[in-house]
Amino acid sequence: MSRGGTQYILLEVAKEILWWLLSAVVAVIVMLPLTSKLYFKPFWINGALIVMALTYFRYSVLLKTTFVLRPAWVKFLLAVFNINFFVYVLRRLQEFMHIYDSFTIEAMGTPIRPLAPEEVDPLFRYFFDEINLACVACLSLSVVLVIRMIATYWNSARLRLNAGSEE
């Protein structure tokens, strides 16, 4: 591989890592109202769902220009992964709804300081809205990404098949 090709790959990998780090920063900012008042138990899974939702959105919009999604085998593995990921997110959503339904702070995490009763309800409302947005975004964007990959594949296959025919 030429020096220019290696440099291009390294820049694309650095760009992908930068996007993932930016998504992680956004996830931390989104969870800040919860983590500023609690040692938030589902911090890692909630953060991962936000990062995946942002990444899937980016992949869905920028499918053709995303370096890591260029090989067909990566797209295939991602489509197979998304089947399992969809079920996994549904199960996590059920667990989060169990936390919300219990309406106890201890189910969400340990308070950093004692919380006044008027602080608890807004915290639970934020938890409910944020977790639903993250889970629904992951679920819908995983489906959108697979549909987008299939549509791109069939569009390019149609163009290849029709390349020699004249109408």
Side-chain angles (χ1 to χ4, degrees):
M1 183 174 277
S2 69
R3 178 156 164 71
T6 304
Q7 188 176 14
Y8 173 74
I9 290 172
L10 288 175
L11 285 173
E12 288 293 331
V13 169
K15 183 172 75 171
E16 188 67 26
I17 290 170
L18 186 64
W19 274 111
W20 279 81
L21 289 174
L22 182 63
S23 297
V25 168
V26 169
V28 168
I29 291 170
V30 167
M31 292 186 299
L32 194 58
L34 297 168
T35 58
S36 65
K37 295 181 181 180
L38 298 169
Y39 295 111
F40 190 46
K41 284 182 186 176
F43 176 80
W44 293 108
I45 186 63
N46 189 4
L49 289 175
I50 295 169
V51 168
M52 289 301 288
L54 293 170
T55 302
Y56 275 14
F57 176 76
R58 182 173 57 90
Y59 286 172
S60 296
V61 172
L62 304 172
L63 180 66
K64 290 186 179 185
T65 60
T66 305
F67 179 74
V68 295
L69 294 180
R70 286 189 185 151
W73 64 271
V74 172
K75 291 178 187 174
F76 174 76
L77 288 177
L78 185 59
V80 171
F81 169 79
N82 276 340
I83 295 168
N84 295 313
F85 182 67
F86 191 89
V87 174
Y88 177 79
V89 173
L90 281 176
R91 288 189 176 171
R92 296 299 76 79
L93 181 58
Q94 288 176 333
E95 288 177 12
F96 293 139
M97 288 302 104
H98 178 69
I99 291 171
Y100 180 75
D101 289 341
S102 72
F103 206 76
T104 60
I105 286 293
E106 291 76 26
M108 249 196 308
T110 309
I112 294 173
R113 59 171 178 70
L115 296 174
E118 57 270 1
E119 291 178 293
V120 173
D121 186 51
L123 198 61
F124 267 96
R125 288 182 190 274
Y126 185 82
F127 172 74
F128 179 79
D129 293 340
E130 185 268 327
I131 210 65
N132 274 322
L133 180 65
C135 289
V136 169
C138 279
L139 292 171
S140 58
L141 287 169
S142 66
V143 171
V144 167
L145 181 59
V146 170
I147 290 171
R148 177 102 160 82
M149 288 188 300
I150 291 170
T152 302
Y153 172 78
W154 283 111
N155 191 34
S156 65
R158 183 183 55 81
L159 290 174
R160 283 192 310 266
L161 289 172
N162 293 332
S165 66
E166 294 182 23
E167 294 182 25

